[in-house]
Amino acid sequence: MLRKNKAEGKGPSWTEVILAALLSAVVGLLGAVAFLVEKPVKAVKEIPKDAPSNAVFYVAGSTDVNQTSVAEVRRSFLSGVTVELTEGELNAYLSSISKPSSPAPAKPGEKGAPAADQGGIVPGTLNARIADGRLQLADPVSISYFGVSTSVIVQATGTIERDGSQWVFDAEKVLVGGLQVQRIPFLKGFVLGRLVLAQDVPSDVAAAWSRLAAVSIEGAKLRLKAQ
């Protein structure tokens, strides 16, 4: 009995203390991440000059466009001519490739395709904005797991740079709600690949893009210089 009482009187071991501390740190980190992701993002037409330093804003790019000019710019781009895209023209293109495709109808005697899983991460229509020499790509994302649904705005701001033989979007800042993820390489890559740049690019557009001599932002336009 004496030995048993002594054992019961001992405090937790160092291993238990360290594990408890690590668990608390992980729980605290996850809580902080969830808080920042869920932090309200204020949609405004322009960022207030007296805005608090910790506030997160979203300014959407213009969607005003002449559909005739969009068709003309597309034809010129595909034919190898230098073009300059306004926000409206760029957003008209992004909208055209962001529409989800409908499942093919079942043939007689065959079972139809299974219903789409309502859970997971569903990107919305990408929006582009050009300001201060940078390109902003934003995406309203719906997240649904275990019966809980929420929506968050993902914003990526950067420039178009050459990577080898290709021109790619080089994001300098990436926000998921109020959480900055650009300093976390694997998370930044996931967010860009799954939430921002997830749209399939038509083969003719991809081919014309690969032949560009330069891509630059000039004023309020994205200039695509042909070779």
Side-chain angles (χ1 to χ4, degrees):
M1 290 296 293
L2 181 60
R3 289 182 178 179
K4 184 178 180 181
N5 289 336
K6 286 183 177 180
E8 290 178 348
K10 289 182 179 180
S13 66
W14 280 108
T15 301
E16 292 171 330
V17 172
I18 293 173
L19 288 176
L22 289 175
L23 181 60
S24 297
V26 170
V27 172
L29 178 61
L30 292 177
V33 168
F35 171 77
L36 289 172
V37 169
E38 290 288 345
K39 184 176 182 178
V41 177
K42 299 179 181 179
V44 296
K45 292 185 178 180
E46 61 179 22
I47 298 177
K49 296 181 179 179
D50 57 348
S53 58
N54 62 344
V56 181
F57 296 95
Y58 167 54
V59 182
S62 172
T63 55
D64 293 336
V65 64
N66 183 318
Q67 292 298 330
T68 301
S69 68
V70 171
E72 292 175 352
V73 169
R74 181 184 175 88
R75 283 195 296 268
S76 297
F77 174 68
L78 294 178
S79 64
V81 176
T82 296
V83 298
E84 293 183 344
L85 298 173
T86 64
E87 283 182 358
E89 291 166 344
L90 186 54
N91 282 319
Y93 166 72
L94 292 175
S95 177
S96 70
I97 66 173
S98 296
K99 296 177 181 178
S101 56
S102 302
K107 296 180 180 179
E110 294 182 350
K111 293 183 178 180
D117 183 9
Q118 297 301 311
I121 302 174
V122 182
T125 300
L126 203 60
N127 176 272
R129 176 173 177 257
I130 301 172
D132 302 323
R134 297 289 185 271
L135 174 64
Q136 170 191 284
L137 296 176
D139 193 358
V141 177
S142 297
I143 303 175
S144 177
Y145 280 109
F146 307 110
V148 178
S149 300
T150 187
S151 59
V152 62
I153 294 179
V154 178
Q155 304 181 68
T157 305
T159 56
I160 306 295
E161 305 291 342
R162 183 181 286 278
D163 182 11
S165 60
Q166 294 292 326
W167 292 97
V168 299
F169 178 59
D170 182 17
E172 302 166 356
K173 185 176 183 179
V174 182
L175 285 171
V176 179
L179 177 65
Q180 296 192 35
V181 302
Q182 69 272 10
R183 296 182 180 178
I184 310 174
F186 73 91
L187 187 54
K188 173 184 174 182
F190 171 82
V191 171
L192 289 175
R194 181 74 184 274
L195 306 182
V196 179
L197 305 175
Q199 289 79 7
D200 292 328
V201 179
S203 57
D204 55 350
V205 174
W209 178 270
S210 67
R211 295 191 296 267
L212 291 174
V215 180
S216 59
I217 296 174
E218 299 186 4
K221 294 184 178 182
L222 180 66
R223 188 169 191 266
L224 309 179
K225 183 179 180 181
Q227 292 184 346

